[in-house]
Structures are given as structure tokens and as C-alpha cells.
């Protein structure tokens, strides 16, 4: 039966395919004519923080634009499942959803496969200046911008203020210092584990890896993506360091199975001194429902290796808003995008839901910063993007996290893992892979 | 089943040709809607998937663009080490889980068969793992296997079998074994219930005769129970093999195919290639290859067992 299910999965997309062949994006032209009437557009978005962000946004938007109604369609929280759903629908020519939330690593794949509208063709240059530096470049592929940055995210170091105070330790600024402090706290039985992070076999490991590898001076590709550079002495140093966290028991042995929630659980239960996580970990660790460390948590930029520029690198995460190329209501879609990246929406996002706004003037606003402590840190972090400029990024990332995970588990040596990753990335970009 | 009975009846009626034709026509009329529905939801998509596997496919604003590719997707897939590993993993996974499930299921079925009271209750309890949605039971198992809070580690360490927590899903061999255990837990009840139904159909007179002739319990099992159970065993074996070969949900939730690619089955690989990498041609080639292999295996089983499933009742 399961094989049948897999087949149905395949065939579902096939049926959609069949209907797609006759479809053309002619719907775009019609949008001007229907502008007078009330139009409903469909917004496909995941629950974000589960605290009603989307509904609040929609209410405020409909108040400002009474001629446009937004129908919310809830997407799965797993980014890969969400992507599969979208690619199946849009490649099949579906006109709904009109706008959708999408991961910051999607522009190349979606742009390359015509799954998102090149927004830079429809929105003036002046529109794009509202975003914080680097974000528009991250949403671009081959000179066109495909997504409007909605909210951003980055890796942070969360630490236990109370433990560091008890042991008279500073917030670590280098990786060896973090290890030393962890061991000290562990030895004094103040805490069970030193540092928890994301080491499981999935996209999150790629994020954590990008940070440590960049700290060591390594890279995945050279500047113009023409050469795979991951198998370097710098990368080896980074991978050996990550593996040593596990062998020295600074990180638990189960680290190789940790995604965000597992690492978060250990930290929230009071069993780890340091945590690497995204921006939501702030509100999560301060929620008395889930956390035993309320009020004891501090946030700082991630450490780096000694002798490198301070602070360490933080991987850029977050979400953009994209437009379905088959949408019939382009004008309304663009109105929604302009509003949701504008001052009112972004202030709601930052102050009521503690997300990091993409709108630069909101991000810098002291009144907003007072209500969102992570925002103060975000200006000091050193951002690094994943190599998502390649349309085969999913295969590239998989080549990294699956091999790195094996090295972390100790089933292959760090050198072997990097060699295998290099080979598989090369196969992926030269289209010799699957 | 019904169609078979009808046919044997008409054969026995021999000369009455009009009746036979009429029955045949009725048969076609009645089965036509079902046939078209099945054709629409399975045969057409399968054929389309075969067509996809023979094409280079690119996405454009105006839909898919197909370009004849011949067997190139297949040669790409079959020469790829990830596919070869997934094939090997799927075969071993199927062999181990189905064998263990048949042995355990047989044991459970025999016990159920001998029970005089509490059978209904036990059946209900047994069905629980099978009735649970796999995605949910896989989540439950991931809690059991959890390296920090997992109950399995609490048991293992409590008994003094290990000094430190075991990372059940962290290394390839352990992850493969753990996934197999979860599968066996879930599907042994299915096998047990099919075999139990088969046992119920064997007339008790046969066993009485055997015991009068001086056959021991062991002898009776090998000489009577097993041969008479053959058609039922084949059903269980076929179902389980087909399911195990297409396994997707359990490893997808439990390990995501990891660590590395250790628990990546053919179905997971084809999902990733199709929907994450958007390589529709190669993805369809993996799906089609899997289907062909399963069909070949099913054919071999039917030949080896030489059982006509439909006639099983008349042979007892």
C-alpha cells in the first residue's frame, strides 16, 4: 500500500502536469480591469510563531485596503514539505495561492524553474531600498528579485546569565573559550551539558556549519560558484572542532540527532549553559509554560575562532513573500506585498511577535528595539548566507549535512566527510547527480 | 471471488450459450465503472509516470516542457551510488522485517487460535499498533529512542546494560536496526491477524485425525498447519513485501532518511529527487524502477508458491 501511496504522490503531480500544458500567464493583464470590485486573494503561509501573526496582519491590511480581502491558507511548518506542496501546485498551473511565504533559500530554485514571479520587473527600484542591507541580494537570482523579504532571522548565542555570574565567567567570544567555560561549569556540577546546537541530518546542520566553517575562513564555493571549495584545511579545522564538542562531552552524544526543538528542550530544561538558535529562542526560553530558565537567559552574537574578526558569523534565515506567476490579481498581490513590508506591518511584527523586521527603518527604530532585545544584537552580528544562489541548492545542502552528520557521529573521519561532500556537491552542480 | 464463482457456474452449464454471453455482458457492465475509476486514478498516472521517466522535463511559466530522453534517466539513476544504496537498503529492510514479522506473527496467531477466553480483548490490543497512523507511531518511537530523554535509554541504563545513553538514531547500523524494530512492532499484528483468520478456516477434524494417527504437536504444525496455511501465508507475504518495499512514512518521520543516507529507502529517494530537487525525469525513473522490481518480486512469489489464491477454498 505504501508503494501505492508513493505512486499516488507521483501521479498527483502528473495529473496536474497534464492540465498545465495548456496554461498561459495571460491572467496578469486582466488584473487592472477588476480593480474596482472587492477582490479576494489567497495567502499561503505557515503559522510562523503560532501566536496569531497572520490574522493580526490580515485584519490590519484589510482595514487599510478595504477593496482587497485576504484568504489565509495554512502551510505546513516543515519548510521542505511546504516547498513540495507549492512546487506541485504552481508547476501544475494553479492560480491559487496568489501570494505565498517562502524560505530565504528558495529564490534560485523558484526563479530557475519559473515558480515565482520576478518582482523586480513589477516594483520600482525605489521600493527595494526599504530593506536592510543584503536582504534584496539574498532574494535575487540572475539579476531579478523573486521574493520580498518579510522577516529575517539569524543564529544567536543564548547563554545562562545566572551560571556565568555564579562562576564569574564572561560571555564567550571565541569557540575555545566557550569550550573552556563549558567544561568548568560541567566540572563544578552547575550544569549537565555545555553547549547544544543543531547537529541532525537536515537543513539546520547546514546553517550551523556555515557559521563555524566561515569562522575558520572556509567556504563552500568560490565567489562565482565555478569551483567547489569545501574540502579545505579551514573546513577541516571547523569540522574537527564540532566533532570535538561531542567527544569531549561539552555537547551531548545525542547532538547528532538534534534539530531546533531538541536543542531548545535541553536548554529550556536548564541542562545546558549555551545554546545556538534563531531569534524565536528568546521568547521561547522566557515562556514559563515551556521553560525552567525564564529570566536567566542572555543573548549575544556567536563566538568565532581566536584571531578572527569579532564576532563570529551568523547564518541568515527568514522568510520572503513570493507571487505565484499564474495569479490573476497581480495588482492586489503587489499592494499586499508593499503593505506587509512597510512600516505599520513590520512594526507589528517586531513589537508584538518579536520577529526581526526586514524594513530597515523599523529595525533601527529605538522605540521598537526597546520592546525586542534581540534586535539590539542583530546589528552587531556578522551575517553569512547559505550558498543558495545555485538552483540546485537543495542537493548542495544535502551533500553537506548528510556527510557532516556522519562525521559528527564518528562513522567517517572529518577528512573523508569533506571529500565526500565535495564530490557530491560537484556532481550536483554539474548536473551529474540525480 | 464472485467473478470466479460465476465463471465456474457457467462452465458447468456447458451448452447454454446465450446465458453465458448474457452473464458475461452483465459482468462487463457492472465492472465498467470500477474499471474506469481504477484506470483514471492508477493506470493512467502510472503510464504517465513511465512517460515522464523517459523524458527530459523542464518547468516554464506555461507548464512542463517534455523532451524525449530515451533511457538516459534510467542510466543516470542506476549508475548513481545513492540509488544503489537505497535499493540495497530497501531490499535488506524488506527481507529482515518481513521474515521477522512472519515468524512472530505466526507465533501470535497460534497462541490466539488456542485461546479460549479473552481473545476479543487481545485482538483489540493487538490491532492498536496497526491501527495507529504511521506518522504518529513514528513520532512516538522517536521519543522512545530519544538520546536524552528516551525511555529506552532509561530502561537500558537502569538494567545496567549500558553506562551512558545510547544514540539509537545517531549511527547508521543502530538507526537501521531501530527503524526495523519500529516497523516490526507496527506490522506484526497485521500478519498475525491474517494468519489467525487462516487458522480459523482449517477444519479441526484434520487435527483430530492427525492426533488419532499419533502425530505430535510439532509434526502436526509442519505437516498440516503450514501446508494448509500456505494460501494465507502467501497473502500476508505479498502484502507485507509490497508495503515494506515502498516504505516511506516510518523512516521519513523517524530519521528523515539519515544519518547520512543510512535509512533512505527508494520511496524517500524518489520523493526527494522529485519534489525537493525538482528533477522530475530521474525521480520518475526511480519510482518506475521500484514498481517494476516489486512486480517482478510478486510474480516470483506467485510462481514459487504455485497457489491460485482464488481456488484456495475448493482445495481444502
Amino acid at each position: 500500500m505504501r508503494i501505492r501511496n508513493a505512486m499516488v504522490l507521483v501521479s498527483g503531480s502528473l495529473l496536474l502536469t497534464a492540465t498545465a500544458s495548456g496554461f498561459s500567464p495571460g491572467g496578469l493583464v486582466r488584473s487592472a480591469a477588476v480593480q474596482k470590485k472587492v477582490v479576494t486573494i489567497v495567502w499561503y503561509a505557515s503559522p510562523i510563531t503560532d501566536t496569531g501573526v497572520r490574522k493580526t496582519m490580515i485584519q490590519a491590511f484589510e482595514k487599510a485596503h478595504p477593496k482587497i480581502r485576504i484568504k489565509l491558507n495554512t502551510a505546513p511548518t516543515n519548510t521542505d514539505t511546504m516547498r513540495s506542496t507549492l512546487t506541485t501546485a504552481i508547476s501544475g498551473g494553479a492560480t491559487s495561492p496568489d501570494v505565498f511565504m517562502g524560505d530565504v533559500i528558495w529564490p534560485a530554485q523558484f526563479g530557475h524553474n519559473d515558480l515565482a514571479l520576478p518582482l523586480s520587473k513589477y516594483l520600482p527600484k525605489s521600493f527595494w531600498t526599504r530593506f536592510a542591507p543584503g536582504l534584496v541580494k539574498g532574494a535575487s537570482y540572475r539579476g531579478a528579485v523573486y521574493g520580498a523579504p518579510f522577516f529575517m532571522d539569524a543564529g544567536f548565542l543564548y547563554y545562562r546569565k545566572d551560571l556565568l555570574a555564579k562562576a564569574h565567567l564572561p560571555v564567550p567570544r571565541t569557540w575555545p573559550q566557550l569550550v573552556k567555560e563549558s567544561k568548568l561549569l560541567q566540572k563544578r556540577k552547575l550544569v549537565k551539558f555545555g553547549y547544544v546546537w543543531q547537529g541532525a541530518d537536515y537543513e539546520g546542520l547546514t546553517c550551523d556549519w556555515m557559521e563555524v566553517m566561515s569562522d575558520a575562513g572556509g567556504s563552500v564555493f568560490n565567489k562565482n560558484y565555478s569551483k567547489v571549495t569545501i574540502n579545505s584545511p579551514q573546513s577541516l579545522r571547523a569540522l574537527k572542532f564540532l566533532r570535538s564538542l561531542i567527544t569531549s562531552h561539552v555537547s551531548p552524544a545525542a547532538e547528532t540527532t538534534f534539530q531546533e526543538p531538541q536543542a531548545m528542550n535541553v536548554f529550556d530544561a536548564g541542562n545546558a549553559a549555551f545554546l545556538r538558535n534563531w531569534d524565536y529562542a528568546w521568547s521561547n526560553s522566557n515562556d514559563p509554560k515551556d521553560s525552567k530558565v525564564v529570566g536567566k537567559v542572555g543573548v549575544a552574537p556567536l563566538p568565532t575562532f581566536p584571531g578572527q574578526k569579532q564576532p563570529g558569523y551568523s547564518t541568515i534565515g527568514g522568510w520572503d513573500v513570493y507571487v505565484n506567476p499564474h495569479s490573476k490579481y497581480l495588482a492586489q498581490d503587489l499592494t499586499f506585498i508593499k503593505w506587509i513590508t512597510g512600516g505599520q506591518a513590520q512594526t507589528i511584527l517586531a513589537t508584538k511577535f518579536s520577529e526581526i523586521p526586514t524594513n530597515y527603518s523599523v529595525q533601527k527604530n529605538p522605540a521598537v528595539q526597546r520592546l525586542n532585545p534581540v534586535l539590539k544584537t542583530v546589528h552587531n552580528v556578522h551575517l553569512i548566507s547559505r550558498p543558495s544562489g545555485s538552483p540546485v541548492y537543495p542537493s548542495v545542502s544535502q551533500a553537506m549535512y548528510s556527510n557532516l552528520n556522519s562525521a559528527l557521529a564518528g562513522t567517517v573521519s572529518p577528512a573523508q566527510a569533506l571529500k565526500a561532500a565535495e564530490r557530491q556537491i560537484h556532481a550536483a552542480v554539474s548536473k551529474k547527480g540525480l | 471471488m464472485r467473478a470466479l464463482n460465476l465463471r465456474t457456474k457457467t462452465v458447468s452449464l456447458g451448452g447454454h450459450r446465450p446465458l453465458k454471453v448474457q452473464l458475461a455482458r452483465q459482468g462487463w457492465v457492472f465492472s465498467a465503472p470500477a474499471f474506469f475509476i481504477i484506470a483514471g486514478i492508477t493506470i493512467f498516472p502510472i503510464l504517465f509516470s513511465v512517460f515522464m521517466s523517459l523524458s527530459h522535463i523542464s518547468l516554464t511559466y506555461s507548464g512542463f516542457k517534455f523532451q524525449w530522453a530515451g533511457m538516459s534517466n534510467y542510466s543516470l539513476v542506476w549508475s548513481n551510488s545513492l540509488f544503489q544504496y537505497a535499493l540495497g537498503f530497501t531490499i535488506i529492510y524488506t527481507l529482515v522485517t518481513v521474515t521477522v514479522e512472519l515468524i512472530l506473527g505466526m507465533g501470535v496467531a497460534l497462541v490466539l487460535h488456542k485461546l479460549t477466553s479473552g481473545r476479543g480483548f487481545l485482538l483489540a490490543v493487538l490491532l492498536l499498533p496497526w491501527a495507529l497512523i504511521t506518522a504518529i507511531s513514528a513520532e512516538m518511537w522517536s521519543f522512545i529512542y530519544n538520546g536524552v530523554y528516551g525511555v529506552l535509554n532509561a530502561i537500558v541504563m537502569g538494567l545496567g546494560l549500558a553506562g551512558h545513553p545510547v544514540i539509537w538514531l545517531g549511527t547508521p547500523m543502530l538507526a537501521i536496526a531501530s527503524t526495523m524494530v519500529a516497523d516490526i512492532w507496527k506490522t506484526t499484528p497485521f500478519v498475525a491477524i491474517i494468519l489467525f483468520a487462516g487458522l480459523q478456516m482449517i477444519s479441526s477434524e484434520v487435527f483430530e485425525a492427525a492426533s488419532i494417527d499419533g502425530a505430535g504437536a510439532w509434526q502436526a504444525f509442519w505437516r498440516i498447519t503450514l501446508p494448509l496455511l500456505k494460501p494465507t501465508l502467501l497473502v500476508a507475504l505479498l502484502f507485507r513485501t509490497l508495503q515494506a518495499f515502498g516504505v516511506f512514512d516510518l523512516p521519513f518521520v523517524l530519521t528523515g532518511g539519515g544519518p547520512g543516507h543510512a535509512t533512505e529507502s527508494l520511496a524517500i529517494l524518489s520523493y526527494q529527487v522529485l519534489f525537493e530537487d525538482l528533477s522530475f525525469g530521474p525521480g520518475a525513473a526511480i519510482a518506475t524502477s521500484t514498481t517494476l522490481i516489486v512486480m517482478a518480486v510478486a510474480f516470483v512469489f506467485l510462481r514459487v508458491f504455485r497457489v491460485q489464491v482464488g481456488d484456495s477454498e475448493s482445495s481444502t
Side-chain angles (χ1 to χ4, degrees):
Chain A
M1 213 60 92
R2 279 186 208 139
I3 183 94
R4 187 92 53 76
N5 284 348
M7 291 305 300
V8 170
L9 216 66
V10 174
S11 40
S13 74
L14 300 179
L15 280 171
L16 286 165
T17 313
T19 57
S21 20
F23 192 86
S24 76
L28 298 180
V29 190
R30 248 179 299 153
S31 56
V34 287
Q35 212 167 11
K36 296 246 157 53
K37 285 189 295 181
V38 172
V39 163
T40 302
I41 61 173
V42 175
W43 182 31
Y44 187 67
S46 59
I48 309 178
T49 55
D50 256 331
T51 41
V53 184
R54 298 167 304 172
K55 282 207 177 116
T56 314
M57 289 285 176
I58 290 170
Q59 275 167 9
F61 173 78
E62 287 179 345
K63 219 170 176 186
H65 297 274
K67 290 248 166 77
I68 306 172
R69 310 263 106 194
I70 307 284
K71 186 172 176 273
L72 177 67
N73 267 6
T74 291
T77 50
N78 181 320
T79 155
D80 288 332
T81 319
M82 182 175 175
R83 187 179 52 179
S84 308
T85 316
L86 280 167
T87 53
T88 313
I90 298 173
S91 63
T95 53
S96 166
D98 297 281
V99 284
F100 56 93
M101 223 172 91
D103 207 310
V104 288
I105 52 174
W106 294 357
Q109 196 186 22
F110 276 56
H112 186 81
N113 292 300
D114 289 350
L115 294 168
L117 204 71
L119 293 175
S120 48
K121 266 194 194 165
Y122 302 90
L123 289 164
K125 273 214 172 93
S126 58
F127 169 78
W128 302 101
T129 55
R130 65 174 63 180
F131 297 107
L135 293 178
V136 173
K137 194 177 157 237
S140 305
Y141 173 66
R142 292 198 180 153
V145 193
Y146 286 89
F150 177 32
F151 62 89
M152 66 170 283
D153 215 334
F156 293 103
L157 180 74
Y158 292 90
Y159 59 91
R160 288 280 300 280
K161 282 190 290 192
D162 57 323
L163 296 181
L164 292 187
K166 219 181 261 176
H168 305 289
L169 294 169
V171 178
R173 289 162 65 83
T174 69
W175 291 115
Q177 194 186 354
L178 178 136
V179 170
K180 215 173 98 191
E181 294 186 7
S182 293
K183 284 182 177 164
L184 212 103
L185 293 168
Q186 285 174 290
K187 215 166 133 194
R188 288 183 53 184
K189 304 254 180 241
L190 287 170
V191 71
K192 198 167 170 197
F193 300 113
Y195 178 47
V196 286
W197 40 289
Q198 293 80 42
D201 180 24
Y202 81 120
E203 182 65 28
L205 175 54
T206 299
C207 298
D208 287 33
W209 168 249
M210 286 307 297
E211 291 160 355
V212 181
M213 180 191 63
S214 308
D215 288 341
S219 59
V220 181
F221 292 102
N222 63 352
K223 273 223 170 80
N224 54 8
Y225 283 86
S226 61
K227 199 168 168 256
V228 183
T229 54
I230 193 170
N231 191 8
S232 66
Q234 289 86 348
S235 296
L236 191 63
R237 180 184 181 196
L239 187 51
K240 279 184 173 163
F241 165 72
L242 287 178
R243 167 75 182 146
S244 77
L245 289 174
I246 296 168
T247 50
S248 65
H249 306 293
V250 165
S251 298
E255 193 52 68
T256 56
T257 60
F258 278 11
Q259 299 191 7
E260 283 90 352
Q262 288 83 5
M264 190 84 232
N265 284 344
V266 175
F267 187 77
D268 281 356
N271 287 329
F274 302 105
L275 163 77
R276 182 257 174 231
N277 209 332
W278 305 96
D279 129 308
Y280 65 82
W282 173 259
S283 46
N284 195 303
S285 63
N286 279 311
D287 180 355
K289 244 189 351 201
D290 303 320
S291 173
K292 288 185 187 160
V293 293
V294 178
K296 297 176 181 167
V297 179
V299 56
L302 285 161
T304 185
F305 287 106
Q308 302 281 23
K309 206 176 117 201
Q310 279 286 335
Y313 281 97
S314 294
T315 297
I316 300 181
W319 292 78
D320 297 339
V321 183
Y322 298 80
V323 173
N324 180 349
H326 308 302
S327 169
K328 285 182 185 154
Y329 307 110
L330 181 62
Q332 286 79 0
D333 299 344
L334 294 177
T335 308
F336 181 61
I337 283 184
K338 278 185 224 160
W339 182 84
I340 209 164
T341 54
Q344 188 194 354
Q346 293 278 309
T347 307
I348 297 176
L349 203 60
T351 54
K352 286 203 180 145
F353 302 99
S354 81
E355 294 290 351
I356 305 173
T358 51
N359 189 303
Y360 203 38
S361 56
V362 176
Q363 212 180 74
K364 286 188 302 186
N365 184 343
V368 174
Q369 286 187 1
R370 235 191 332 271
L371 290 162
N372 186 343
V374 181
L375 269 187
K376 274 180 226 149
T377 314
V378 79
H379 288 287
N380 304 326
V381 302
H382 207 160
L383 293 172
I384 178 88
S385 316
R386 284 163 274 173
S388 54
S390 160
V392 292
Y393 172 73
S395 314
V396 172
S397 178
Q398 213 198 24
M400 283 196 271
Y401 65 66
S402 59
N403 288 302
L404 297 171
N405 180 264
S406 304
L408 294 177
T411 48
V412 300
S413 74
Q416 282 171 318
L418 289 174
K419 219 165 150 190
E422 180 188 36
R423 200 183 53 237
Q424 285 169 25
I425 294 172
H426 188 77
V429 292
S430 58
K431 305 262 167 171
K432 285 192 190 111
L434 287 176
Chain B
M1 224 51 110
R2 184 150 291 278
L4 263 173
N5 292 342
L6 277 178
R7 203 180 59 199
T8 43
K9 251 181 222 157
T10 52
V11 169
S12 65
L13 290 171
H16 302 273
R17 215 180 149 73
L19 181 62
K20 193 178 157 189
V21 172
Q22 205 185 339
L23 277 172
R25 199 174 287 156
Q26 271 178 8
W28 277 106
V29 168
F30 281 126
S31 54
F35 173 78
F36 283 115
I37 290 170
I38 290 169
I41 62 172
T42 54
I43 299 173
F44 169 71
I46 287 174
L47 290 180
F48 204 94
S49 154
V50 174
F51 167 69
M52 275 179 89
S53 72
L54 298 170
S55 314
H56 286 304
I57 302 164
S58 48
L59 273 170
T60 66
Y61 280 125
S62 42
F64 284 82
K65 239 173 52 196
F66 296 95
Q67 224 183 339
W68 184 250
M71 297 301 285
S72 67
N73 286 329
Y74 286 91
S75 58
L76 181 77
V77 162
W78 281 83
S79 62
N80 185 284
S81 61
L82 284 183
F83 174 80
Q84 290 161 1
Y85 177 85
L87 179 64
F89 167 75
T90 310
I91 289 172
I92 290 168
Y93 183 85
T94 306
L95 275 176
V96 174
T97 55
V98 173
T99 309
V100 175
E101 282 157 18
L102 280 178
I103 294 170
L104 288 179
M106 178 61 107
V108 174
L110 286 171
V111 171
L112 273 180
H113 188 55
K114 289 280 174 221
L115 276 183
T116 47
S117 69
R119 199 191 266 165
F121 173 74
L122 268 182
L123 270 174
V125 172
L126 255 182
L127 268 176
L128 213 60
W130 173 249
L132 271 180
I133 296 164
T134 312
I136 292 170
S137 61
E139 278 293 347
M140 282 164 38
W141 277 99
S142 85
F143 280 119
I144 294 174
Y145 289 137
N146 185 302
V148 180
Y149 306 109
V151 68
L152 188 58
N153 271 331
I155 294 171
V156 167
M157 286 166 72
L159 292 174
L161 296 173
H164 53 87
V166 181
I167 311 307
W168 299 100
L169 302 174
T171 54
M173 287 316 283
L174 268 177
I176 292 171
S178 305
T179 312
M180 285 175 173
V181 167
D183 188 298
I184 290 164
W185 171 82
K186 182 172 169 59
T187 32
T188 297
F190 170 76
V191 176
I193 278 160
I194 289 195
L195 295 182
F196 170 63
L199 283 173
Q200 296 283 76
M201 287 191 333
I202 302 175
S203 156
S204 57
E205 288 165 26
V206 191
F207 291 103
E208 279 164 28
S211 75
I212 288 166
D213 289 345
W218 195 241
Q219 235 177 341
F221 175 75
W222 283 106
R223 296 283 176 82
I224 298 169
T225 314
L226 220 47
L228 288 180
L229 213 53
K230 215 163 76 171
T232 324
L233 263 173
L234 179 70
V235 170
L237 181 68
L238 261 181
F239 264 86
R240 280 305 306 137
T241 308
L242 300 194
Q243 284 178 329
F245 212 82
V247 67
F248 178 83
D249 35 15
L250 179 68
F252 188 75
V253 175
L254 202 55
T255 60
H261 296 278
T263 54
E264 198 161 275
S265 66
L266 286 171
I268 292 185
L269 183 67
S270 94
Y271 167 82
Q272 275 172 351
V273 173
L274 269 167
F275 296 108
E276 294 191 2
D277 305 342
L278 301 181
S279 303
F280 294 100
I286 298 172
T288 307
S289 302
T290 313
T291 314
L292 289 176
I293 295 169
V294 167
M295 279 168 66
V297 171
F299 183 73
V300 169
F301 279 162
L302 288 169
R303 288 308 293 256
V304 168
F305 274 75
R306 282 177 204 286
V307 177
Q308 284 171 304
V309 179
D311 288 343
S312 57
E313 288 146 289
S314 53
S315 63
T316 45

